[in-house]
Amino acid sequence: MSNVRLEYLNRYIEIIKNGNKLPSISALSQNGITRKHLDSHFGNIDNLRKEAKKISPKLFEGCIEESDYTSFEYSLSLIKQLKKYKRFVITSAVNGNDLNSGFYLSLKNYCKINKAKLLIIPCEDKSAVKNQFSKGWFFDPLIKDESFVFTETNLNSNISISSIRINVNQVDPNSGIGRLTHKQGSFIFGSPKQSLQYYPTSNLSFPRASMSTGVITNPKYDVHNRRTYISNKDHVLGAIIVEIESNEIYHFTQVQAETNGTFAHLGKAYSKNKVKSYKPEAFVLGDLHAGEHDMEALNCFLNVAKATGVKKLVLHDVFNGVSINHHEIDNLILRSKRSEKGELSLKEELRLTAEVLNDLMDKGFELIIVDSNHNDFLHRYLKAGTFIKEPNNYSTGVELTAAYLKGVDPLIYGLNKYGQLKSKIKFLTRHEDYLIQGIQLAAHGDLGANGKRNPSKSGIENAYGSAVVGHSHTPGILRDVFQVGTTSKLKLGYNVGSSSWSHTSCLVYNNGQRQLINSINGKYKI
């Protein structure tokens, strides 16, 4: 080997030793290795790395070749491994970034205890490797023997790990890719941001979702420009846990980690060498809609609460308002059918709602009720004096209006008067906060900044910052906003055709970590 060639190799090795695992062409040039030098002495940067690896193999222990993970042999081997497991932990690692070893070891501890398989999706920070013409991947040697997923990988017929490469600096990882779910079903992709988006499907299918993982590597982005500054703020140490029930049915949830790697999952805190009980602070249920609630889903969520030890239930759209629904006032056919079922009595609906709440309190739960648009149906009904033309609701309307005129909330009055609530319930107003570690739980999701109606999750974020909301019946995650689904029946009179509704609720821990929990056919396996 010529002295000049050896000199370039030593310079390259020194760059790697100094922590730049993926030096760009400009970084090499600053150290005296120009593109011309590469071409004449090595052919390309890949060959330079291979030569350097022969000289200092330990320095390159975390270097993996993508071709080794896209071969037919590797794919076949991975498929065989996956068949041995029903539970998977899926996370990502950013190329060249430092491993959060605490989180990695905590995930390994979870996998050992719960017989799960860890799968890692590689992510690339394109801004950090600008002008680089190498396809090298550098990760901490601690994870070099883990199962990396570079190609499309099915977990069952309805969920897969996608080979889509999302730039780590993309503000919303789910942007523009939802239509793919109609072709390939739900899929998981790698990103340092944790996101979830549901998409409507046919009348008979469970809605499909695209979701990003979070990572096991620490943030290391250039903070001198807008996108990378935001990337540092949105970076999530996280993973998705998936449990396969059958070839068609799967369950999933998200976890996030503290900087030391500890993460909460279903009432337990996992760290690198132990697991201990860790009760959630609150459980935000999908919109209740008492009277049209799905008992199977509600019982499932109560089982989650029992298993995790959570005592506070945060409830949205408690009062359904079907007896006085202004959206149905001109639909004579529907109202006739409701009349035959005895569903047009306001007094009876208030009694039934109170019965549901009393049952929850009898089970030992503390109830926090969020002021919601369906709860507001009653205020609107009384303000309009609609009850004057409804003999069946006239006396109830008069009594509630009298209370309303005295400054008493008519819903609270009616629940106590006709349903006799057994214990004290915290009824939040539109002007109150209910915070857990800075997470706003008092917003329903129907109003954004300055009273804007039906805001997007981005609009909710602008209004409240970190929040858990309801309203849309479609769960999702966008940065610090988590949205629950519903606890109502999945088919009501107004969601005709394809639907993205889901039975989904959210566990909130007092360290700020959150988990969306799905009830699938009354089960929450994860």
Side-chain angles (χ1 to χ4, degrees), residues 107-398:
L107 290 178
K108 292 293 286 184
N109 186 32
Y110 170 87
C111 289
K112 181 180 178 181
I113 293 170
N114 295 281
K115 298 179 181 179
K117 173 70 174 175
L118 179 63
L119 300 172
I120 301 174
I121 306 172
C123 289
E124 189 171 25
D125 181 0
K126 293 182 179 179
S127 64
V129 290
K130 191 176 181 180
N131 298 323
Q132 180 193 310
F133 53 99
S134 167
K135 294 182 180 178
W137 293 89
F138 276 89
F139 300 108
D140 190 294
L142 196 61
I143 64 173
K144 66 182 177 64
D145 294 325
E146 295 294 343
S147 296
F148 287 88
V149 182
F150 280 87
T151 58
E152 201 83 20
T153 303
N154 294 325
L155 299 179
N156 76 358
S157 62
N158 283 321
I159 188 167
S160 64
I161 299 173
S162 176
S163 59
I164 294 174
R165 297 269 174 85
I166 303 291
N167 189 345
V168 297
N169 296 318
Q170 185 160 324
V171 175
D172 180 3
N174 266 300
S175 179
I177 63 175
R179 60 188 177 84
L180 300 178
T181 62
H182 291 286
K183 296 180 179 180
Q184 65 187 72
S186 296
F187 59 84
I188 299 167
F189 58 94
S191 171
K193 300 175 176 68
Q194 202 168 65
S195 64
L196 171 68
Q197 183 71 47
Y198 273 81
Y199 306 94
T201 51
S202 71
N203 296 329
L204 301 177
S205 301
F206 186 76
R208 297 180 177 128
S210 61
M211 62 195 88
S212 58
T213 54
V215 290
I216 54 172
T217 48
N218 292 319
K220 192 176 72 174
Y221 311 113
D222 178 5
V223 297
H224 298 297
N225 67 67
R226 175 182 174 276
R227 292 187 72 187
T228 52
Y229 179 86
I230 291 172
S231 293
N232 271 282
K233 296 295 184 183
D234 293 341
H235 186 98
V236 175
L237 290 173
I240 295 173
I241 299 175
V242 177
E243 183 172 352
I244 303 300
E245 182 177 332
S246 68
N247 188 46
E248 291 80 31
I249 299 174
Y250 62 92
H251 305 261
F252 71 92
T253 191
Q254 301 78 17
V255 297
Q256 306 95 42
E258 299 178 38
T259 53
N260 66 5
T262 301
F263 70 92
H265 173 62
L266 286 179
K268 296 179 180 178
Y270 290 86
S271 58
K272 59 185 179 181
N273 52 19
K274 62 182 178 180
V275 57
K276 63 180 181 180
S277 177
Y278 185 39
K279 183 173 67 174
E281 185 69 18
F283 196 18
V284 183
L285 296 194
D287 295 2
L288 185 60
H289 296 281
E292 289 190 315
H293 58 288
D294 187 297
M295 277 306 303
E296 194 174 59
L298 180 58
N299 286 333
C300 174
F301 293 140
L302 296 182
N303 288 335
V304 173
K306 182 179 179 180
T308 60
V310 65
K311 292 299 181 183
K312 293 180 182 177
L313 299 184
V314 180
L315 305 177
H316 291 254
D317 273 341
V318 166
F319 178 67
N320 193 24
V322 68
S323 60
I324 56 171
N325 190 343
H326 54 277
H327 295 298
E328 299 176 0
I329 196 69
D330 294 323
N331 191 332
L332 296 179
I333 301 300
L334 179 56
R335 285 179 64 79
S336 175
K337 291 179 179 179
R338 290 200 184 283
S339 177
E340 290 175 0
K341 295 178 182 178
E343 295 177 349
L344 295 186
S345 169
L346 173 57
K347 182 186 292 186
E348 176 59 21
E349 185 171 11
L350 288 167
R351 186 204 63 76
L352 184 151
T353 304
E355 183 181 277
V356 173
L357 297 178
N358 281 333
D359 184 61
L360 293 174
M361 289 186 285
D362 285 343
K363 290 179 168 63
F365 293 110
E366 176 186 343
L367 305 185
I368 299 98
I369 295 182
V370 177
D371 205 353
S372 310
N373 64 306
H374 274 254
N375 294 0
D376 287 344
F377 282 9
L378 182 56
H379 299 133
R380 178 171 180 152
Y381 177 78
L382 297 177
K383 288 176 182 178
T386 308
F387 59 89
I388 294 173
K389 298 179 181 180
E390 295 182 352
N392 59 316
N393 288 327
Y394 180 80
S395 61
T396 306
V398 168

Side-chain angles (χ1 to χ4, degrees), residues 454-465:
N454 301 316
S456 64
K457 286 188 282 292
S458 179
I460 291 168
E461 183 182 42
N462 288 336
Y464 301 105

Side-chain angles (χ1 to χ4, degrees), residues 4-34:
V4 174
R5 183 182 171 90
L6 184 59
E7 181 183 347
Y8 291 146
L9 278 169
N10 287 332
R11 288 183 190 178
Y12 180 71
I13 289 170
E14 195 62 30
I15 294 171
I16 304 298
K17 285 181 178 178
N18 289 333
N20 190 352
K21 300 291 187 182
L22 296 167
S24 66
I25 186 62
S26 61
L28 294 178
S29 295
Q30 290 171 14
N31 286 270
I33 307 174
T34 66

